[in-house]
Amino acid sequence: KTAQLDAAQSTLELSTNRLADIQEQITNCKVLAPSDGQVVYANDERRGIIIEEGAIIRDKQVVVRLPDIKNMEVAVRINESHINRILPDQIARIELDADPDHPLEGKVRQVAAYPFPLRWHGAPLEYDTKVTIINPPSTLRPGLRAKVRIYFESLPDVLQVPLAAIVEHDELH
């Protein structure tokens, strides 16, 4: 009887320690946001990182992001043929794929000094450029795709006509 009692007490002690360990893990798993906002999982499909229930994560891994809807920006990849024309503070027009009828205004915030790593031989170099959205609407959401036009050249008072309207006459156009 004493052996059974000792075994039961040992099992109870192990179970109590395991329960305390699990409760501590649950307490450590609570994530408290520093402010109100929309939580976005920090998925990176290119690197095969998908945050979901049951996923294994490592220490210090980014799991969620809290985007500030009032300070949104677009990440743009600029081809090497245009990168020397792009400068901070240039005006941009942003057309969301989700809402193409309501273009947004933006401004170039940052142009990367170095290109993205090459993906394959012969691929053009691309530079990361951040465009800040000016007065973003409340309907804007993180992760939306967009087309961005950065205006790097403008000429005032220029008449634009269709090329078919231009003819040569007496060596003049």
Side-chain angles (χ1 to χ4, degrees), residues 155-166:
L155 300 170
D157 299 322
V158 173
L159 177 65
Q160 182 177 353
V161 295
L163 183 60
I166 307 295

Side-chain angles (χ1 to χ4, degrees), residues 42-106:
N43 293 334
D44 188 349
E45 294 170 8
R46 288 177 289 179
R47 293 179 24 202
I49 298 171
I50 306 295
I51 307 297
E52 60 187 1
E53 185 178 335
I56 297 172
I57 58 173
R58 59 179 166 66
D59 189 33
K60 307 284 186 196
Q61 179 178 348
V62 176
V63 179
V64 296
R65 292 189 174 92
L66 294 171
D68 182 357
I69 300 297
K70 295 179 185 98
N71 294 306
M72 297 288 282
E73 64 183 17
V74 182
V76 183
R77 290 180 174 228
I78 303 292
N79 187 288
E80 64 184 313
S81 63
H82 298 298
I83 196 62
N84 289 331
R85 296 176 173 174
I86 307 299
L87 299 168
D89 295 329
Q90 286 176 321
I91 301 300
R93 180 183 168 112
I94 302 156
E95 185 180 293
L96 300 173
D97 287 358
D99 191 8
D101 297 331
H102 299 96
L104 306 172
E105 289 184 31

Side-chain angles (χ1 to χ4, degrees), residues 11-26:
T11 301
L12 175 62
E13 186 179 330
L14 286 171
S15 296
T16 304
N17 289 342
R18 178 149 169 75
L19 176 62
D21 198 35
I22 290 171
Q23 287 174 331
E24 181 184 358
Q25 288 181 25
I26 290 171

Side-chain angles (χ1 to χ4, degrees), residues 134-163:
I134 299 169
N135 298 323
S138 60
T139 56
L140 193 62
R141 298 287 175 254
L144 294 177
R145 293 184 174 269
K147 294 178 185 77
V148 178
R149 287 190 180 138
I150 298 173
Y151 296 97
F152 52 79
E153 207 172 348
S154 69
L155 300 170
D157 299 322
V158 173
L159 177 65
Q160 182 177 353
V161 295
L163 183 60

